[in-house]
Amino acid sequence: MGAADKGVSVERMIDQGAGREPADLVLKGGRFLDLVTGALVEGDIAVCGDRIVGTCAAYGGVREIDIAGCIVVPGFIDTHLHIESSLVTPHEFDRCVLPLGITTAICDPHEIANVLGAEGIRFFLDSVAETVMDIRVQLSSCVPATHLETSGAELRIDDLLPFAGHPKVIGLAEFMNFPGVLAKDPVCMAKLEAFQGRHIDGHAPLLSGYGLNGYLAAGIRTEHEATTTAEALEKLAKGMHILVREGSVSKDLAALLPVITERNSPFIALCTDDRNPLDIAEQGHLDYMIRTAIAAGAEPLAVYRAASISGARAFGLADRGLVAPGWRADLAVLDSLEGCHAEFVISAGRVVDDQLFAARRRVEPVGRRSVRARPVTAADFRVPARNAATTPVIGVTSGRIVTERLDLSLPVRDGAFAVDPDRDVVKAAVVERHGKNGNVAAGFVHGFGLKAGAIASTVGHDSHNICAVGVSDADIAAAVARLGEIEGGFVVVRDGKVLAEIALPIAGLMSLEPYEKVRARLHDLRQAAAALGSQLQEPFLQLAFLPLPVIPHLKLTDKGMVDVDRFELIDG
């Protein structure tokens, strides 16, 4: 929202910046980080309306705040995330992360869109119109993500175009179906052609060479899926703006630290993708990425550029990212550059406090009773041996959403493959929950560490069918049934009894509760999963990525086991 929209005239801004009248707000006695030179500059910062109007001089203000000993930096920009993965509404996400210095977030609501379609996007647009922080929306490009799963909705170009002119919409969100792009699939082509000239976000893990060239030729400019220095450098060399990701499961910051340099920083930004309230409370959000990168040896100037101005320029937000006259007054007042702990935050010229959050208009939740899975029994999760010596097993590594294909010989009982907990091989299952076809698929997974019971979730990227992992088929069936009773969420079951759960009744993805309560319930869920033997730091988010057939190498959807490298279902 511009200053004129808030009833503040340009003339008044000029007068306050020129020192002819007191500024609305003045930060006095501190220093700010100049992202052009890297210098720490002393002097007051004057604000009129939602705009910085003066620096490097002494100002008087209607309201003055002493910030002696502090350093002011531009507010941080999360360049790619799914707010649904925080398990709370946009309003609660706003209240959770804005005090940490994140003043802008660029979200892709494709989680809720895959469940509810256009209704989910409307809910997000209505919500972000009321948040204190500036949340921008990318229109979900892949609903469903692929033909290899059953989604709750389908969005074609005619469904997206009515939203294209919304003031909060930037462009087209992560284009995950890169095989469809390279194959010139007509549905993909219609979306790409309609958004030529606007921002198109990318998603092409491990793609390189001619394939990457063809993908980029479609006008795709940003991407968060680089997981190695070599991959990031090739994508940088080919004009991509790299979004370094550190989420609750996908943790790429350490691997990509070598590319976060002063030279590369104009083409590097930061994102979280998927991060839950427990990790935000225990570690932080983008602030955690900043202090972690600096502690690991990254140049502070490069890191703070990546956290603000670089992301702003990549996504066409030309009004923010510097502490300078004429720029949007999104500011984080920090204890130090290395500590990156916000003493307080200014969003569009307003000091962030509880009153700002309390003044927001409530948006009615959507997507209640979205879990419509058919009743299941233990027999639904049987995996016939069919005279095969081995069966494909999904290999999970903590902190990575890329999985491996393991072809293992498993015990056979009554003509079906059985779990082998001693080798950390347990059952995985996906149950279609949108009421479309009643599909149930089962297979095996290595890496969860479970010795008993089952865990299950309605958060299963990106079509969000029920996904479960367990030692006992009966416990998997009990967990699936419980998810229907609580309108979706997470559940831990052992011997038919629920040990812990969290209800996510908004589309089976988001809670109706404050983020503090969600955080506490997540702590209980982690403990319950650990009691079953899980050694994963984030077992439920790791579970959520098992059915994602656009991330190599082996995944499980409601239609069966998927060879992602071949982009096809595995027969039998």
Side-chain angles (χ1 to χ4, degrees):
M1 181 180 291
D5 297 322
K6 300 180 75 173
V8 180
S9 68
V10 175
E11 289 84 355
R12 185 178 168 198
M13 290 180 171
I14 292 171
D15 283 340
Q16 291 190 16
R20 291 192 285 261
E21 65 176 65
D24 294 346
L25 172 67
V26 178
L27 306 181
K28 300 187 71 69
R31 297 178 293 170
F32 71 86
L33 177 62
D34 180 354
L35 290 184
V36 177
T37 67
L40 288 173
V41 181
E42 295 184 354
D44 297 344
I45 299 172
V47 175
C48 177
D50 65 355
R51 189 176 296 181
I52 301 167
V53 294
T55 60
C56 306
Y59 282 92
V62 175
R63 180 182 183 185
E64 297 181 353
I65 302 177
D66 183 358
I67 60 166
C70 296
I71 297 174
V72 181
V73 298
F76 310 135
I77 301 173
D78 191 333
T79 54
H80 174 77
L81 80 159
H82 308 287
I83 289 176
E84 304 98 311
S85 293
S86 70
L87 309 179
V88 295
T89 64
H91 276 50
E92 282 303 301
F93 177 79
D94 182 28
R95 198 170 65 84
C96 182
V97 306
L98 177 55
L100 301 178
I102 296 85
T103 54
T104 302
I106 300 171
C107 77
D108 171 10
H110 80 204
E111 315 299 353
I112 196 169
N114 267 283
V115 178
L116 303 178
E119 181 186 11
I121 294 179
R122 278 193 293 271
F123 169 72
F124 258 74
L125 290 173
D126 290 345
S127 296
V128 304
E130 302 298 326
T131 53
V132 179
M133 69 187 299
D134 188 16
I135 300 178
R136 299 299 178 101
V137 173
Q138 296 273 72
L139 296 178
S140 305
S141 65
C142 296
V143 178
T146 74
H147 64 285
L148 300 169
E149 56 198 320
T150 302
S151 182
E154 181 178 6
L155 291 177
R156 292 182 174 265
I157 186 59
D158 290 342
D159 301 307
L160 297 177
L161 287 178
F163 300 113
H166 192 285
K168 287 286 189 177
V169 169
I170 291 177
L172 198 59
E174 54 178 324
F175 219 100
M176 297 184 293
N177 189 0
F178 67 84
V181 174
L182 296 175
K184 298 178 292 184
D185 173 79
V187 174
C188 293
M189 292 302 101
K191 293 174 182 176
L192 291 169
E193 289 167 0
F195 281 84
Q196 293 297 300
R198 296 190 66 169
H199 190 88
I200 305 175
D201 194 27
H203 182 290
L206 306 182
L207 190 63
S208 63
Y210 283 114
L212 179 59
N213 292 346
Y215 184 71
L216 297 179
I220 296 165
R221 291 287 176 266
T222 52
E223 201 228 28
H224 58 281
E225 287 295 338
T227 57
T228 66
T229 299
E231 183 179 0
L233 289 175
E234 180 184 1
K235 288 175 175 176
L236 283 170
K238 292 180 175 180
M240 284 199 107
H241 204 110
I242 297 301
L243 316 180
V244 177
R245 171 179 57 190
E246 188 75 3
S248 287
V249 170
S250 303
K251 301 176 185 295
D252 304 318
L253 178 60
L256 298 182
L257 276 171
V259 304
I260 306 176
T261 65
E262 185 175 334
R263 175 173 289 184
N264 292 339
S265 59
F267 305 96
I268 301 286
L270 306 182
C271 76
T272 58
D273 200 3
D274 301 282
R275 196 161 179 84
N276 69 43
L278 187 55
D279 285 343
I280 295 170
E282 292 178 347
Q283 298 176 330
H285 199 260
L286 291 187
D287 57 315
Y288 166 76
M289 293 186 70
I290 292 166
R291 56 180 165 265
T292 300
I294 292 174
E299 302 156 323
L301 176 58
V303 177
Y304 279 97
R305 280 177 176 170
S308 53
I309 184 66
S310 178
R313 287 178 169 168
F315 286 86
L317 301 175
D319 62 342
R320 67 201 69 188
L322 288 180
V323 182
W327 291 70
R328 180 180 165 100
D330 284 349
L331 302 169
V333 181
L334 305 179
D335 59 344
S336 66
L337 293 182
E338 296 77 17
C340 194
H341 296 287
E343 301 292 338
F344 65 92
V345 176
I346 294 173
S347 174
R350 303 160 297 176
V351 177
V352 173
D353 57 22
D354 290 341
Q355 290 183 337
L356 277 181
F357 294 126
R360 301 170 301 176
R361 181 181 66 88
R362 182 176 183 272
V363 176
E364 288 296 321
V366 296
R368 300 298 300 269
R369 292 171 291 281
S370 67
V371 181
R372 305 184 183 95
R374 68 171 175 85
V376 296
T377 67
D380 287 300
F381 307 115
R382 188 173 184 271
V383 181
R386 296 179 183 173
N387 299 318
T390 63
T391 190
V393 175
I394 301 171
V396 167
T397 303
S398 182
R400 298 188 72 213
I401 60 176
V402 172
T403 54
E404 300 303 326
R405 175 171 178 164
L406 310 173
D407 288 283
L408 301 180
S409 175
L410 297 179
V412 176
R413 300 190 185 103
D414 299 324
F417 286 115
V419 299
D420 190 350
D422 290 341
R423 287 196 293 162
D424 193 9
V425 178
V426 298
K427 189 69 65 71
V430 177
V431 178
E432 188 273 319
R433 64 106 159 173
H434 305 293
K436 297 291 184 69
N437 52 38
N439 284 348
V440 176
F444 294 90
V445 63
H446 172 275
F448 271 81
L450 296 184
K451 301 299 183 184
I455 65 174
S457 168
T458 51
V459 179
H461 298 292
D462 282 308
S463 290
H464 298 292
N465 292 302
I466 294 172
C467 46
V469 167
V471 176
S472 161
D473 290 353
D475 281 343
I476 292 175
V480 171
R482 183 57 182 163
L483 288 174
E485 294 168 355
I486 63 175
E487 298 185 74
F490 299 151
V491 64
V492 179
V493 171
R494 182 172 186 170
D495 298 329
K497 297 180 180 179
V498 175
L499 303 183
E501 67 184 21
I502 180 172
L504 302 175
I506 302 178
L509 301 173
M510 292 179 286
S511 174
L512 294 168
E513 295 185 311
Y515 75 83
E516 294 93 344
K517 288 189 176 181
V518 175
R519 180 180 68 204
R521 293 183 187 278
L522 284 173
H523 183 269
D524 293 343
L525 279 160
R526 271 189 189 174
Q527 288 192 321
L532 299 184
S534 174
Q535 315 233 336
L536 294 173
Q537 182 179 0
E538 287 291 345
F540 284 94
L541 281 178
Q542 205 89 52
L543 174 66
F545 286 100
L546 285 187
L548 183 57
V550 294
I551 297 290
H553 296 278
L554 187 64
K555 294 292 189 287
L556 178 70
T557 76
D558 67 294
K559 295 185 178 182
M561 201 71 80
V562 178
D563 183 329
V564 181
D565 300 327
R566 295 176 177 270
F567 210 54
E568 63 185 20
L569 293 167
I570 297 174
D571 292 334

